[in-house]
Amino acid sequence: MASTKAFTAQVTVLTLLAMIVGHKRGTLTDTRLRELMVELETIPAKVEKALELNTEIMQIAEIFKDATNFLYLGRGYNFPVALEGALKLKEISYIHAEGYPAAEMKHGPIALIDENMPVVVIATKDSSYEKVVSNIQEVKARKGRIIAVVTEGDTIIPAMAEFTIEVPATSEVLMPLVSVVPLQLLSYHIAVLRGCDVDQPRNLAKSVTVE
């Protein structure tokens, strides 16, 4: 019911569209276009690898299934991933969750962080990495319970976060296709553990037919 493939398909199509437009406008070189196309072809295998984290994510879900609030943080390309993670949790687990730009954390959400607040941070290696590390330090200083989605091989964030989920490395612009998978799995397992019907969530329609 809460379709995960819709998000992935839309991101893929819009990425391809952006690549075509960028190439035609001359802002995306032939070389860069080829690089992205080659990398895009590796995404299905990387998604498969992310799906292998299922058991690990289920264990995290067990710990946080009774939480009443979640905060999701992301920067750049991973900000929409934070929104999607929060949306899925709300839709199928009925837990209040909010996706927020990590850069704006100090303008509101930081006041909510305490030892009872799970904070999911999409912290993969990209151009915003150092700033995200700073955000995680701020959350940790306020005793927030950090669940970080990181790039395989990261050694800095695992030393700070309570839980880390490692996903395969890919191009920054394609990372949402991979980094979103653990968040969708986390929502699914929390919903199942709470006894929610993940196929027919309450108050939701598969398609919106009225304004």
Side-chain angles (χ1 to χ4, degrees), residues 65-130:
K65 63 182 173 63
D66 296 319
T68 54
N69 295 284
F70 265 75
L71 181 62
Y72 288 72
L73 301 175
R75 282 177 179 261
Y77 293 102
N78 279 320
F79 167 50
V81 176
L83 294 177
E84 168 69 2
L87 178 66
K88 283 293 179 287
L89 193 69
K90 282 183 283 195
E91 284 183 331
I92 62 177
S93 300
Y94 317 140
I95 295 173
H96 174 256
E98 189 172 358
Y100 227 82
E104 298 177 19
M105 182 180 72
K106 287 187 176 181
H107 302 285
I110 199 167
L112 302 174
I113 298 173
D114 60 17
E115 65 276 7
N116 299 313
M117 172 70 83
V119 182
V120 180
V121 187
I122 302 93
T124 51
K125 283 281 181 70
D126 57 27
S127 58
S128 301
Y129 180 75
E130 291 182 4

Side-chain angles (χ1 to χ4, degrees), residues 163-183:
F163 303 94
T164 53
I165 302 168
E166 294 192 7
V167 297
T170 189
S171 169
E172 180 175 351
V173 301
L174 301 176
M175 182 53 82
L177 295 168
V178 180
S179 61
V180 74
V181 175
L183 306 191

Side-chain angles (χ1 to χ4, degrees), residues 148-203:
V149 178
V150 302
T151 304
E152 279 181 337
D154 190 327
T155 57
I156 296 173
I157 293 175
M160 297 186 290
E162 185 174 356
F163 303 94
T164 53
I165 302 168
E166 294 192 7
V167 297
T170 189
S171 169
E172 180 175 351
V173 301
L174 301 176
M175 182 53 82
L177 295 168
V178 180
S179 61
V180 74
V181 175
L183 306 191
Q184 293 169 337
L185 286 172
L186 181 64
S187 297
Y188 169 79
H189 287 302
I190 288 177
V192 171
L193 290 166
R194 289 167 65 91
C196 302
D197 187 344
V198 295
D199 294 314
Q200 292 184 310
R202 68 189 184 201
N203 305 335

